[in-house]
Structures are given as structure tokens and as C-alpha cells.
Amino acid sequence: MTELEANGFSTDNLYISEKAHIIFPYHVEMDKLLEENRGANKIGTTARGIGPAYCDKFERCGIRAEDLISDNFEELLTININNKNKIFEVYGYPTLDVSQVLEEYKKYAEILRPHITDTITLIHNALENEKKVLCEGAQASLLDIDFGSYPFVTSSNPSIGGICTGSGLGAKDIGEVYGVLKAYSSRVGSGPYVTEQDNEIGDTIRELGHEYGTTTKRPRRCGWLDLVALKYAVRLNGITALAINHVDTVGKLPKIKVCVGYNHNGKITTDFSTNINFLNSCTPIYEEFEGNFGDISDCKTRKDLPENAQKYLARIEEFVGVPVKFIGTGAGRDAMIVE
């Protein structure tokens, strides 16, 4: 908010759900502690306290935005910090000072107070007034806590179900569902990755696509597009169309591969599974396409794209059974073909 306002943008139209859970310093410290004690089984979290905040949510001791601005905030915070400190003491971890955290978060509370509201009513009023509502999910389907490659997942539902539970919208309110992806694949953190290219190709994709974690700055693992996994995501989310970014990036390579099947112990399958043992024993089956698309940033329609790019996109559509509606052709905001 401070950064936006410093650049001349108003945050008066920012609304925060009263039901949103707040991340506190003890969540961050707990995140680090848990990850350290996983040893070789590290998940590769961002260490921002997100997972432990979700733990508190489901343990029913989380502090929500409405609590942050309530009269009993100090009481709730004191109870939580005292309980977390007992755990930190067991592990010989530094404990937190209640008064220090309270002072810091009371300042945040006053900044956020005007923005915290009943967003369920807000959104439904907008729909009733025939306004458009766009919901954007973070992370990706294979990081879904229920349907992803567990345990190497995030703590939420970045699949379609998270739209309803996160916003208060009903299933009947959902119209189009756009699946956003890259023309290659990437992953941050540990976990199975069938099409990973831990080699010069992966390094090249990483540099061309600037694939470094937004939060952690860690280099992302990179590889070819996995249509088996993509088809799973399409089915899981009821995707109606795809938005493919970085078509220009993958088009800088002389040859492009896409995974169209898995070889699992000699048996060929096009069905995805999140079972870790299954994924770790699969080898990808690839189809190869010609690259060298050239500069496509000025292309305004799909017909303007070089034939190699059109063939690549057509094969993706054929395999997963939904159309490509948005095509990213460059780094600029306007470098996008909309079908």
C-alpha cells in the first residue's frame, strides 16, 4: 500500500475480507523451525509463515482481520504467543515478546481498519448490479493441498474450489475458467517433476524466462511443458480456455518438446497421478516441434504467428481439449494475442 501510494496510486478502493487470517512473526519463526527439522525431507517453503498460519486456521486459534481491529485483539495475541513460545523453548528457539509484536500490529490495524469489510456482500452486490468479477488464484493446481503432489504442495486450494471458499461466491456464479500457464514448465521447491531438464536446456529456459522465485529469488526448476499434467489441471478445474505465456521465450529455442505421455515401468499412460512413487518412476514421452519463432511481439492474431508456433499451440489444444484464448508474445503488457 505504501509503495502504491508513493507512486501516485490511491488504495481507497482496496478491500480486505474480515475473514482473512493474519500472519504474525511466530508463524514465520515456526515455518523456519519446521523446515529445519524436516532435514532431508524439506518441502522448500518460502519461510514466510504461510503454512503455520493455515495450521492455526484449522486449529481454530487463528487471528482474522476482524480480530485485528477488535477490542480483544491483545488477549488473542497474548494467548497465541505464549503457546508458541512454549514450543520454541522446547526446541531451544528464541521466544517472542508479546508487547513488541502487539505494538507493531496495532499500527497495522489502524492502517488496515478502513479497508477491512464484509467482502462477501460486496462481491454479491457487484454481481447483482451486473458488474464483472475477476478472481485470480495464486500458485498452481499441482501445488493444491488436496489435489497436488502432496506433501510438496502449498497450504491452500489454488484449484477452482479455492475460488468459492476464498471469495464466498457460489458455484453457479462462476462463468469462464481460464487456465494460466507457461509454454514450458517450472517449479519452485522440492517434489516430483517428470519433465524437469536439470541440464543445459533447463538452464537456458531459466535465463530466457527469468525464472527466479518472486519471494525467495531462488532459481526455479525448469523443463518442458507436460500435457499429461495440464490435462489433469483442465479436468480438475473445469477450465474453459487457456492463457499461455512465454510463447516467445520457448520460441527462442531451436527445438521444443512437449510431454504427451508417461512410461511407467514399461506401461504407457496419459493419465496423471499425484502419487509420489508413481511420478518418480515415470519417464516422459515427448513430441518434438521446430522452434526459432523469431520476434513475435508484434503479432496481433494467431494467423500472424509463424507456422511453427501455430503447430505448437494447436497440439496443446488437441491434447487437452480446450482452446487457447490468450497467447503471450513478449514481455510487454500489450504483447498478448486474444482470440
Side-chain angles (χ1 to χ4, degrees):
M1 289 171 64
T2 302
E3 185 176 346
L4 284 169
E5 289 165 355
N7 283 276
F9 296 95
S10 172
T11 58
D12 291 345
N13 62 338
L14 170 65
Y15 300 101
I16 299 169
S17 171
E18 60 193 4
K19 303 183 190 309
H21 283 254
I22 309 297
I23 295 176
F24 289 91
Y26 53 81
H27 292 128
V28 176
E29 296 307 313
M30 186 65 72
D31 206 347
K32 296 175 183 176
L33 173 61
L34 291 170
E35 190 74 342
E36 285 175 12
N37 282 276
R38 289 187 181 106
N41 296 316
K42 282 182 170 59
I43 293 173
T45 76
T46 58
R48 299 295 293 270
I50 297 169
Y54 271 101
C55 289
D56 280 4
K57 172 182 176 179
F58 288 102
E59 198 189 345
R60 291 153 295 181
C61 67
I63 296 176
R64 307 202 290 186
E66 62 184 9
D67 301 314
L68 182 68
I69 58 174
S70 72
D71 293 336
N72 63 337
F73 170 56
E74 182 174 349
E75 178 187 358
L76 294 172
L77 183 68
T78 300
I79 291 171
N80 275 8
I81 289 181
N82 287 339
N83 286 338
K84 301 302 180 187
N85 278 344
K86 291 176 183 177
I87 298 174
F88 293 146
E89 287 172 358
V90 170
Y91 285 92
Y93 227 66
T95 56
L96 296 173
D97 181 82
V98 174
S99 59
Q100 184 178 346
V101 178
L102 182 64
E103 181 182 358
E104 178 186 359
Y105 275 74
K106 276 187 173 180
K107 293 177 182 177
Y108 299 149
E110 291 314 305
I111 295 170
L112 298 176
R113 185 183 297 275
H115 303 274
I116 296 171
T117 189
D118 172 12
T119 53
I120 296 175
T121 300
L122 181 77
I123 292 173
H124 281 276
N125 282 343
L127 288 175
E128 288 167 10
N129 288 308
E130 298 185 350
K131 294 184 178 180
K132 292 187 182 296
V133 174
L134 173 66
C135 297
E136 180 186 7
Q139 310 291 358
S141 293
L142 294 190
L143 293 180
D144 188 278
I145 186 70
D146 292 311
F147 300 106
S149 48
Y150 192 89
F152 302 102
V153 293
T154 190
S155 305
S156 61
N157 289 109
S159 56
I160 193 67
I163 297 299
C164 295
T165 58
S167 68
L169 289 170
K172 73 178 181 64
D173 298 314
I174 297 175
E176 299 298 322
V177 181
Y178 299 133
V180 183
L181 67 148
K182 300 167 186 171
Y184 50 89
S185 64
S186 66
R187 182 175 184 127
V188 173
S190 306
Y193 186 175
V194 177
T195 61
E196 180 175 13
Q197 297 298 298
D198 189 14
N199 50 34
E200 186 178 346
I201 293 172
D203 294 340
T204 301
I205 293 174
R206 183 180 304 109
E207 294 307 314
L208 289 174
H210 308 291
E211 292 293 341
Y212 293 88
T214 304
T215 298
T216 63
K217 307 304 179 187
R218 289 179 296 186
R220 293 190 179 118
R221 301 158 66 191
C222 294
W224 299 119
L225 182 60
D226 185 342
L227 297 187
V228 176
L230 179 57
K231 188 174 182 178
Y232 172 76
V234 167
R235 286 174 167 175
L236 179 66
N237 295 286
I239 288 171
T240 57
L242 298 175
I244 301 185
N245 295 314
H246 284 285
V247 175
D248 58 307
T249 300
V250 80
K252 293 174 183 176
L253 300 169
K255 300 285 185 181
I256 307 167
K257 291 183 180 181
V258 291
C259 175
V260 295
Y262 294 164
N263 185 331
H264 179 245
N265 298 328
K267 182 180 179 181
I268 307 303
T269 182
T270 57
D271 294 328
F272 185 82
S273 170
T274 58
N275 182 279
I276 302 298
N277 293 329
F278 169 82
L279 292 173
N280 285 334
S281 59
C282 283
T283 55
I285 299 170
Y286 289 119
E287 287 182 7
E288 189 173 82
F289 294 81
E290 295 295 325
N292 293 326
F293 297 167
D295 184 3
I296 60 174
S297 59
D298 291 330
C299 294
K300 301 303 179 186
T301 69
R302 190 187 294 210
K303 291 181 180 179
D304 295 335
L305 292 171
E307 186 179 355
N308 293 350
Q310 293 187 46
K311 286 181 178 179
Y312 183 66
L313 295 171
R315 180 58 174 132
I316 294 171
E317 291 177 322
E318 178 188 29
F319 191 94
V320 301
V322 295
V324 172
K325 183 176 177 63
F326 305 93
I327 304 168
T329 58
R333 289 185 178 273
D334 296 329
M336 175 74 67
I337 296 172
V338 182
E339 292 283 274

